[in-house]
Amino acid sequence: MELMKQFSQKYMKDNAPEVHVGDTVRVHIRVKEGSRERIQVFEGTVIAKKHGGIEESFTVRRISYGVGAEKVFPLHAPTIEKVETVRRGKVRRAKLYYLRDRVGKAAKVKENL
C-alpha cells in the first residue's frame, strides 16, 4: 500500500486547483493536433467530483447552442493547464445531476456571496 502511495505521489500536481461542486470554472486544456499544440478553454458548472488522490476527477457541464455538453477532467492530468474559478456556487448537494433536466434560468446555480 505504501509503495502505491509513493508511486501516485510522484504524478500528482503540487498546486492542485481548488474545485468545488456548484462553481463555474474555466478549464484550460492543452490539445495536440498533429504537430501543433494549442490551449482550448471549456467553461461551465462543476456538477460532480469523484474519487480522491491521483484518480480524482470533476465533471463540468455547459450549454452550447441549446445542447448540453459535459466533460470529465482528471484533476492531476498533465494536459490540464489551469483551472480558473469564475464564480462560487451555493449548493446543498454533492452531485448536481438534476441540472441535466433543467433549461434556461432554472439550470442556474445561486452565487455564494
Side-chain angles (χ1 to χ4, degrees):
M1 191 66 176
E2 189 63 37
L3 186 66
M4 190 66 177
K5 197 176 281 185
Q6 287 177 348
F7 179 76
S8 64
Q9 193 70 35
K10 184 169 60 174
Y11 293 103
M12 288 175 70
K13 289 183 180 176
D14 295 332
N15 51 352
E18 187 95 5
V19 178
H20 298 286
V21 176
D23 292 355
T24 301
V25 294
R26 191 175 292 134
V27 185
H28 297 258
I29 316 144
R30 200 176 315 119
V31 178
K32 193 167 186 170
E33 296 170 334
S35 60
R36 294 171 22 126
E37 201 172 273
R38 65 184 178 88
I39 301 290
Q40 186 178 30
V41 180
F42 190 87
E43 186 175 340
T45 306
V46 178
I47 63 167
K49 279 180 70 174
K50 288 190 176 181
H51 310 300
I54 192 74
E55 62 266 358
E56 187 173 349
S57 63
F58 59 99
T59 307
V60 180
R61 178 177 176 82
R62 74 185 279 185
I63 307 292
S64 59
Y65 301 105
V67 179
E70 291 182 10
K71 272 191 175 182
V72 179
F73 297 103
L75 192 66
H76 297 285
T79 55
I80 293 184
E81 201 66 31
K82 65 178 176 179
V83 179
E84 296 176 45
T85 303
V86 178
R87 59 190 285 254
R88 308 294 267 174
K90 183 182 179 192
V91 292
R92 298 171 69 172
R93 300 276 177 275
K95 306 280 191 271
L96 305 181
Y97 296 141
Y98 63 88
L99 292 179
R100 292 172 175 164
D101 301 327
R102 298 193 178 182
V103 182
K105 285 191 175 182
K108 284 183 76 175
V109 175
K110 288 184 181 175
E111 190 168 3
N112 194 8
L113 298 173

